[in-house]
Amino acid sequence: MKFLRLFGTAGLSLLICTSGYAQSQPPPAAAVEVTAAQLRELSPTVTATGVVQSRAGADIATAVEGQLQWIAEPGTFVVAGEVVARMQTDALRLQRTEQAARLTRSQVALKQAQRELERLQASGNAVSRFQLDQAQNTRDLAAADVQIYRATLSQTDERLSKAEIRAPFAGVIAERVHNAGEELTRGTPVVRLYNTEELEIRLFLPLRHVRAIRPGGIVQISVGDSYVPARVRAIVPVGDARSQSFEALIEAPQTAPALTVGHDVKVVLPLDAPRQALAVPRDAVVIRADGSAVYRINADQTAERVPVTTGVADGAWIAVTGALAEHDRVVVRGAETLHHGDPVQIVGSRPV
C-alpha cells in the first residue's frame, strides 16, 4: 500500500511536469504577407457603379422587305462591310428581268422614232410642219420612256444590293433579333452589332459628385482585385429632373481586357485635392470590437498590435494615424487571426 501510494505521488508529479512543459511551449508561427507603410498622395473618394457599353453599337436593319434567307450566328466577329444577313431575292430578280426587257423595248422604240424624224426632216417641203412636230414628239416621248425604265432598273439593282445586309463597322454579333424564314418589312432590325474594341463606362452621378470631376480628369476603375486609371471623356450637361443626376462617360482603359459590354464596374471618383498622408493597404486594417488596428512586424519576428484611426481612402490604400511610421512592415494577409505578441513567419512581401 505504501509503495502504491509512493508510485501514485510520483506519477502525479510527472503528469504535472509534463502539463507545465506543454503549456510553456510557444505557439506556432503564423504565416503572413507584409508590406511597408508609406506616405502617399490621397484624396477623399466616392464609389459609383457604372455600366460598360460599346461606343459603336447598332441594331442593323433590313433595307428591303421580304423573307430573311440567312443570318450570322451570335458571337461571330465581322469586319466592316461583311455580310451579316441576306434577304430572299427571287422576286426582285424576276422584277429586274421584266424591267430590263421593258428598257430594251423602249430603246428600240427610241431608235425607230429617231429614224422616222430624220427621214421626215430629209424630205424638205414634201412634209408638213405638223408631221415634223408629231414625229419629234414621238421621239421625245420614247427618249423619256428610256430614262424612266433606266431609273426603275437602277432602283431595283439598288434594292438587290441592299438585300445583303452588311456591317457598318467591325464588331461582334451580340444578338439575332429575327431568324431565317421570317417575313420582314423594310426597316426591321435583324441583328445587334457591338464594337468590343472601343468601350466606355456610363454612370449617373448626383450633382454634388459631378462637380468633383471634369472632362479629362482621372478616376479609378475596379478591375478584379486591382484598380486602374481611366480618363473622363465627357459629362453630359443635361440632368435628369426626377433623379437629379447627370451622366458621365469614362473611357475604358486599354489595360483592362476583362471589361465586357453590359457588365457593372465600380468607379472611384475623387472628391477633393490629394493630400499626403501615411497610408497602408485596406487589407492591413483589422476591425474588432475594441477598434481598428494594424499588426506591425518587430525585429524579433513577432506581431505588435498598433491601434490606428483610419482616414481618407483612395483605391486600395487608406490613410491611418497612430503609433506607426513610414517603412514599418505591416501584415496585409493573415492578420485576422493574429494577437499581440504572436510569432510570425513572413511568406510573402507585397510590392508598394
Side-chain angles (χ1 to χ4, degrees), residues 85-101:
R86 188 178 293 111
M87 303 295 293
Q88 181 63 257
T89 59
D90 291 347
L92 275 178
R93 294 190 183 280
L94 289 174
Q95 187 177 0
R96 188 192 186 283
T97 300
E98 179 184 355
Q99 292 168 350

Side-chain angles (χ1 to χ4, degrees), residues 148-193:
I148 291 173
Y149 287 125
R150 279 177 177 168
T152 304
L153 192 62
S154 296
Q155 291 173 359
T156 303
D157 286 338
E158 183 182 7
R159 294 176 65 192
L160 280 170
S161 67
K162 290 182 177 179
E164 288 189 336
I165 306 168
R166 299 180 180 273
F169 50 83
V172 174
I173 305 295
E175 181 182 357
R176 289 194 306 193
V177 184
H178 291 280
N179 295 313
E182 295 186 51
E183 290 288 339
L184 305 179
T185 58
R186 184 172 181 268
T188 303
V190 290
V191 296
R192 290 192 171 92
L193 179 66

Side-chain angles (χ1 to χ4, degrees), residues 158-333:
E158 183 182 7
R159 294 176 65 192
L160 280 170
S161 67
K162 290 182 177 179
E164 288 189 336
I165 306 168
R166 299 180 180 273
F169 50 83
V172 174
I173 305 295
E175 181 182 357
R176 289 194 306 193
V177 184
H178 291 280
N179 295 313
E182 295 186 51
E183 290 288 339
L184 305 179
T185 58
R186 184 172 181 268
T188 303
V190 290
V191 296
R192 290 192 171 92
L193 179 66
Y194 292 103
N195 184 343
T196 56
E197 300 297 325
E198 297 183 14
L199 302 178
E200 64 183 5
I201 300 169
R202 180 187 187 194
L203 68 157
F204 291 90
L205 301 171
L207 179 60
R208 65 181 183 276
H209 293 160
V210 169
R211 291 171 177 169
I213 60 174
R214 61 185 60 188
I218 301 299
V219 298
Q220 299 292 323
I221 307 297
S222 175
V223 179
D225 296 331
S226 61
Y227 288 84
V228 295
R231 191 177 72 90
V232 179
R233 186 172 65 83
I235 297 175
V236 180
V238 179
D240 188 324
R242 289 178 296 179
S243 62
Q244 293 293 306
S245 62
F246 289 77
E247 181 182 2
L249 299 175
I250 299 169
E251 294 179 358
Q254 297 296 324
T255 56
L259 297 180
T260 55
V261 176
H263 283 191
D264 293 342
V265 294
K266 292 182 179 179
V267 183
V268 181
L269 308 169
L271 295 180
D272 200 353
R275 299 176 182 176
Q276 193 175 65
L278 183 67
V280 297
R282 291 175 184 261
D283 296 340
V285 180
V286 179
I287 302 175
R288 293 176 180 164
D290 54 351
S292 300
V294 298
Y295 281 91
R296 175 169 54 199
I297 303 302
N298 293 323
D300 60 354
Q301 297 297 91
T302 60
E304 177 187 358
R305 184 179 184 275
V306 180
V308 295
T309 301
T310 57
V312 173
D314 190 350
W317 291 78
I318 187 169
V320 292
T321 56
L324 197 66
E326 187 181 7
H327 305 307
D328 281 352
R329 292 184 301 170
V330 295
V331 178
V332 291
R333 180 169 296 178

